[in-house]
Structures are given as C-alpha cells and as structure tokens.
Amino acid sequence: MTIIYEEQAAEHIHGICLKTGPPRLVGVELEWLVRDARDPALPVTAERISAAVAAFAPAQRLSSGTGVAASTGVPASTGLPSSSEPGVLPSGALLTAEPGGQLEVSSQPADSLASCVRDTSADLAALRAALGAAGLELAGIGLDPIRSPHRILHLPRYAAMEKFFDRGGPWGRQMMGSTASVQVCVDAGDESDGYLGYRWRWRLLHAIGPVLVAAFANSPLRDGRPTGWLSSRQQVWAHMDPGRTRPPQSGEPDPRPGWVEYVLNAQVMCVRDPGSEDWSAPPGLTLRDWVRDRPRAGNGTRLRAPTAEDLAYHVSTLFPPVRPHGHLELRMIDAQPGDGWMVPLALTSALLGDEPASAAAMAAAERLWAGHGPPGEWPASRPAGTGNGNGNGVGNGAGHGNGNGARGENPWPRAARLGPADPAIARASRECFAAARSALDRMAAPAEITAAVDAFIERYVSKDRCPADDLLEAADDLPETTNRPEEAQ
C-alpha cells in the first residue's frame, strides 16, 4: 500500500475525478425499499432478503459458504450482497444492499440509452420475480413513508458512518436506513468548451439539479404523515454535514480544483482497520489533517499513515448532488414508482446528448437561478425553510408548505419543499421536458422510452405535479404508526 501526503493526495484527486473523452456511455443505479408485499408496515429481516436474492449471489460465495467480506476480513453474517461481495443480475449488473435493507441495482455502462433501459428492465423483472416468490416487493419511494429507520447491515463502514452522523442528530440514520434514489451516471465529457465538454456538462447538471429534484420528488411522508417537503429525502440531506452533501463551491470554469478542496476539507468518516470492527474516525478530522499531520486518535495513539486506498474510500463517503467519479453521478433524484426510473434517465441523456436541448435547458435553468448566485451553488449555511419536519418553517403538514421568503430561498431546498408548485421551478421544468422530448425524437429513442416520458409529462409536468402528490393523496390509506422518529416529534 502506498502512503500518500497532501500534495500527492491533491494531485491524485485532480487526476482521477474526471476522465475526459467523447461522452458515450450511460448507466443507472436504482435503490429500492424492500417491503412485505402484504403489509408494507412490517419490518423485513436481513435473512429474509438474503434468502430471496440468493440466486444472484456470486459463485465464490455460494461455493465457499464463508460469508466473509473480502475487503474487510469481517464476517458478513447476514449474507446480504455488499459492495465487497455483490450479487450479479442477468445482464451483469451488480446487486448490493444498503444499511437499512434497501437493494441497489447498478447497471453496467451502456453504449446507448436504449440498451441501458433494455438491460435494466430485464434485470428488474428477474429481481422482482425472485422477491415476489418470497412475499417481498420493491417500492420506488424516496423515503420510507411508514417504517422508522433500522440498520440491518452490520459492517464496520456502516457502524462508523452511523456514529459520525449521530453527532448531527437523527438525519444520518434516516438517510442510511430509509431512503432510496435514482442515480443517473454519464460520461464526464471531452475537453471542448461546447455542450459535449466536461465544463459545460458539470455546470448544466448543477444548474438543472433543482428541476430534477422537483419534477421527481417522491417522498412527502414520514411515519404516514406529511412532512411539509415533497422530497423529504432531500430534507434529510439538507440537515446533514454540508461539507459532504452540498455542491462543491468553485469560482472556476474547471470543476477539478474545487473538487480537490472539497475532498481534502471533508471530515473523515472512517479509518479502515481490517483487524477491527471499530473504524470510527476522531471527531473533526479532515482528510487534509490526516494526510498532513497524522493526528492522534481518541486513545492517544497516532493514526496510521493514510494510503491511496484510504483516499478512494474517503471519496466514496462524500455525497454531493453531482459526484465526479471519473464519470458524473447524479444523486439528487428520488426513487420512482414502477418503471418510472427510465424517465429521469431519458431526460438527463437527452439534455446532455443533444445540442439544442442542452442550450434550452441551460437557458431555462439560468432564469431559475437569476438572483441566487452562480447556478447550482448552495452555500453551507442552514437553508431557509428547514426545520424539524413538523411544521417549524416547512409548512404545517397539511400541504406543501409555503414558508415566508420562498422566492428568495435557494432553488435547491425550494425545489425539495415545494416541487413544481413553485411557479419558477414549474416553468423551468416544462421547458426542460419540452427540450428533452424533442431531442428524444432526434435521437430516435425507442417507443417504450418516449411513451414513458409522454405519460410523465401528461400526468405531472403539464399539471405542475410530481409523484409525491400521488402519495399525499393516498396518505389516508396508509397504516398508522406510533413509532415516530425523535426529530419529527
């Protein structure tokens, strides 16, 4: 293992965050809540999920029967697929479990939108069939509307993550145990200054981020009650460590220097130790501190020197809306019901892959951001309109909430609270969808994809609605629960 120091770390981060070249590939990572098909309020055990997806386990795990995570040396007693030992779906897509038992399907990079949708649809059909045979179902919702968070994946990484986030309240446990998203993955782009260049694509994705949050908001409930946010998943992120959840701040056209500073200044969440189950890091330790000074741990001993592997692990614990992973990973979209995931995938692909559509989306986003600073930025101060999820600045739970000063609020939290009910966001959303729909025709997208986008426009965009509105209308049919999270009381 190679020990790294500050200058080496900065050079490494700068060198790998964006792999430039002609943009060609697209992928999608789909997180799903896993529920009992008859009673969605019931907890689902790790053993039940593990048994249901056993057919997708890699051959080496089935033959060895050891259940030991290769990269940690720690027994994975639950048998759930993990990042170190993922399941494999028919197309080669990877299947992993999140801390609360959510399942994530990570497609292979595809040469086209059509092939990505085709392969992912087939994988989901296989996964749904396996879960259905065990009485389970996948639920595409951004935040579990009924069950309180409960961690069932017991690995050192997640224990350290839980300990880290607990210092800031209950929001980290909600993120880990109750949330699900659609993550669209696209190539960074080439070195040009045009719409295929990485600078433009980075700027456009941040500028339209609030549009994606609002259009696909699908998490308005917690414990069966409205939170006042149409995307309560984004409410959770808004209350967490801003040094790892907000967009990087950079006044430069090239995003790489800003990302280097973001990574170095972010607090270290865990220090890997294959011989221990305690990976917790000293409170307040940043990566810059670690690579520069080798500070002391809580027991007074000096931390070991960090390695390139530690740097990669640290980057995997950062969760900005757009994460540069060589490619660009969009993390701001709530999980969607059924096959609704293909709509944000198609929308993003069209707006990035077609020059007129890309220009139209940027123009729409710039109008939305007028008066709010550079498009896509979200300063780290506590956002206006946030509160305790029970009417303190986010509405009274009877609707979308309309806190004072909404027009002056940064578009990111505004989109999460109000969704398309905000007139400026609704206008930008209609313009982006119209541009994308025309682009899909020019791209000769398959009828299955254009039909899904048309249905979404008709049901939601044209009516200034989003999937969260459906959940709010059905809220009276949800089972009651008295086990409310501390923050919502």
Side-chain angles (χ1 to χ4, degrees), residues 342-428:
M342 68 176 65
V343 178
L345 176 62
L347 178 74
T348 305
S349 298
L351 295 181
L352 289 176
D354 180 90
E355 187 169 12
S358 188
M362 184 69 86
E366 287 177 338
R367 286 189 287 273
L368 171 62
W369 281 93
H372 295 285
E377 290 198 356
W378 186 1
S381 60
R382 186 175 176 87
T386 62
N388 64 5
N390 192 31
N392 185 8
V394 297
N396 60 8
H400 297 174
N402 59 358
N404 294 332
R407 289 182 182 273
E409 187 179 4
N410 182 281
W412 285 106
R414 202 168 89 219
R417 290 195 305 111
L418 303 177
D422 179 277
I425 292 173
R427 181 168 57 252

Side-chain angles (χ1 to χ4, degrees), residues 23-102:
R24 182 175 58 87
L25 301 176
V26 63
V28 68
E29 299 175 7
L30 304 175
E31 296 173 341
W32 303 87
L33 305 179
V34 178
R35 307 193 303 193
D36 184 275
R38 292 179 298 177
D39 186 352
L42 288 177
V44 178
T45 65
E47 291 73 21
R48 191 176 174 192
I49 299 172
S50 178
V53 301
F56 307 116
Q60 60 267 31
R61 191 198 310 165
L62 291 174
S63 60
S64 69
T66 60
V68 174
S71 67
T72 67
V74 176
S77 58
T78 62
L80 288 170
S82 66
S83 57
S84 58
E85 285 195 333
V88 182
L89 293 165
S91 76
L94 301 182
L95 178 68
T96 54
E98 296 296 310
Q102 310 96 309

Side-chain angles (χ1 to χ4, degrees), residues 115 153 183 246 267 270 277 290 301 305 355 381 389:
S115 60
L153 190 56
Q183 297 171 21
R246 301 287 175 88
Q267 294 184 50
C270 53
E277 294 193 15
W290 193 11
T301 62
E355 187 169 12
S381 60

Side-chain angles (χ1 to χ4, degrees), residues 68-305:
V68 174
S71 67
T72 67
V74 176
S77 58
T78 62
L80 288 170
S82 66
S83 57
S84 58
E85 285 195 333
V88 182
L89 293 165
S91 76
L94 301 182
L95 178 68
T96 54
E98 296 296 310
Q102 310 96 309
L103 288 176
E104 179 174 353
V105 174
S106 300
S107 77
Q108 291 295 312
D111 288 328
S112 68
L113 170 64
S115 60
C116 184
V117 168
R118 181 188 64 242
D119 291 348
T120 304
S121 296
D123 288 336
L124 286 173
L127 179 59
R128 285 170 173 146
L131 291 170
L136 299 173
E137 65 180 7
L138 298 176
I141 306 172
L143 179 76
D144 197 311
I146 307 171
R147 300 173 298 183
S148 296
H150 176 64
R151 183 164 64 92
I152 65 172
L153 190 56
H154 300 290
L155 294 173
R157 168 188 172 99
Y158 295 124
M161 182 182 292
E162 192 172 77
K163 183 176 181 179
F164 177 91
F165 284 130
D166 279 350
R167 299 172 193 145
W171 304 101
R173 291 188 182 229
Q174 290 185 31
M175 179 276 289
M176 294 172 64
S178 297
T179 62
S181 67
V182 171
Q183 297 171 21
V184 178
C185 300
V186 295
D187 279 336
D190 60 29
E191 296 282 350
S192 72
D193 292 326
Y195 79 103
L196 297 179
Y198 72 89
R199 301 172 190 85
W200 174 274
R201 289 160 73 88
W202 174 267
R203 182 166 175 256
L204 176 62
L205 290 175
H206 282 87
I208 66 172
V211 171
L212 298 174
V213 169
F216 301 107
N218 189 36
S219 52
L221 305 170
R222 182 185 292 109
D223 288 322
R225 305 181 189 182
T227 65
W229 293 61
L230 291 185
S231 176
S232 301
R233 175 177 161 271
Q234 286 297 328
Q235 178 199 26
V236 169
W237 285 114
H239 284 78
M240 292 170 61
D241 175 16
R244 64 185 349 103
T245 62
R246 301 287 175 88
Q249 306 294 304
S250 175
E252 302 182 43
D254 188 334
R256 288 176 288 198
W259 178 246
V260 170
E261 290 300 302
Y262 189 94
V263 175
L264 288 173
N265 292 333
Q267 294 184 50
V268 175
M269 182 178 289
C270 53
V271 176
R272 299 175 307 134
D273 182 355
S276 170
E277 294 193 15
D278 183 5
W279 289 15
S280 56
L285 175 72
T286 67
L287 180 64
R288 192 187 303 275
D289 297 332
W290 193 11
V291 298
R292 177 185 290 177
D293 300 326
R294 285 192 61 201
R296 295 187 183 277
N299 60 7
T301 62
R302 283 199 177 275
L303 291 179
R304 62 170 175 77

